[in-house]
Amino acid sequence: MKKFKFALDTVLSYKQQALDALRGEHAAILAKVHAQEDVVGTLEQRYCDYNDEYRQRAEEGLPITDVLMYQSGLRAIEMEIQRETLRLEALREAEEKKREEVVEAKKETSSIEKLKERKLEDYNKAVLKSDEQFIEEFVSSTRANAASA
């Protein structure tokens, strides 16, 4: 019997390559999300440190110009935190969309792989049946030859 050949092997190969590419893109976006989370965390820590310094100096007594400088600095850091948080949210949305694309591509690839497995199983059953039939014919012909001799 001829060797097993799956008709959709090229499609399966293409789908697997597309899935690998999507996984790579997802990993890249995920790395950007983690980097952006670090940026936001660093800014929040900087805000806390600056605020603690401001409160500590305020307890000791500060001139109004220094108070205004600290308040202005705190507002600037707050605005920067807001901007970076919005960027983080956008990256998270992009990561979620890419993850959904990866899941969908995985479903498509899995369905083709399952079809290939079923076709291979059918092929193996047909080979087994063919082998059994050949053995039966061989045994029958051997018996017929033995009986006629």
Side-chain angles (χ1 to χ4, degrees), residues 22-40:
L22 285 172
R23 283 182 174 156
E25 292 170 13
H26 180 253
I29 291 175
L30 205 52
K32 287 180 183 179
V33 167
H34 292 309
Q36 190 64 26
E37 287 172 344
D38 290 344
V39 167
V40 171

Side-chain angles (χ1 to χ4, degrees), residues 82-94:
Q82 250 182 342
R83 275 193 310 273
E84 296 300 330
T85 300
L86 288 174
R87 185 176 289 149
L88 175 60
E89 289 171 6
L91 284 171
R92 283 182 176 157
E93 288 175 15

Side-chain angles (χ1 to χ4, degrees), residues 125-145:
K125 286 179 184 177
V127 167
L128 189 60
K129 187 174 181 178
S130 173
D131 289 348
E132 288 174 359
Q133 186 177 7
F134 174 77
I135 291 170
E136 281 181 28
E137 288 174 6
F138 178 75
V139 169
S140 295
S141 68
T142 305
R143 283 187 187 158
N145 287 339

Side-chain angles (χ1 to χ4, degrees), residues 2-6 9 116 119-121 123-124:
K2 63 183 178 179
K3 186 177 174 184
F4 175 72
K5 175 94 172 103
F6 184 57
D9 264 338
K116 182 178 181 177
K119 293 288 185 182
L120 180 60
E121 190 176 303
Y123 170 81
N124 287 335

Side-chain angles (χ1 to χ4, degrees), residues 52-65:
D52 289 344
E53 179 185 328
Y54 167 60
R55 289 174 187 237
Q56 191 175 37
R57 294 221 27 224
E59 287 176 5
E60 298 168 359
L62 276 175
I64 192 72
T65 55

Side-chain angles (χ1 to χ4, degrees), residues 6-72:
F6 184 57
L8 298 176
D9 264 338
T10 54
V11 174
L12 179 59
S13 175
Y14 172 77
K15 292 289 186 180
Q16 286 173 331
Q17 288 174 1
L19 176 61
D20 290 343
L22 285 172
R23 283 182 174 156
E25 292 170 13
H26 180 253
I29 291 175
L30 205 52
K32 287 180 183 179
V33 167
H34 292 309
Q36 190 64 26
E37 287 172 344
D38 290 344
V39 167
V40 171
T42 301
L43 284 171
E44 288 173 344
Q45 185 61 47
R46 193 168 103 199
Y47 180 86
C48 287
D49 293 345
Y50 197 67
N51 193 32
D52 289 344
E53 179 185 328
Y54 167 60
R55 289 174 187 237
Q56 191 175 37
R57 294 221 27 224
E59 287 176 5
E60 298 168 359
L62 276 175
I64 192 72
T65 55
D66 287 352
V67 169
L68 292 175
M69 181 191 72
Y70 273 107
Q71 289 177 349
S72 175

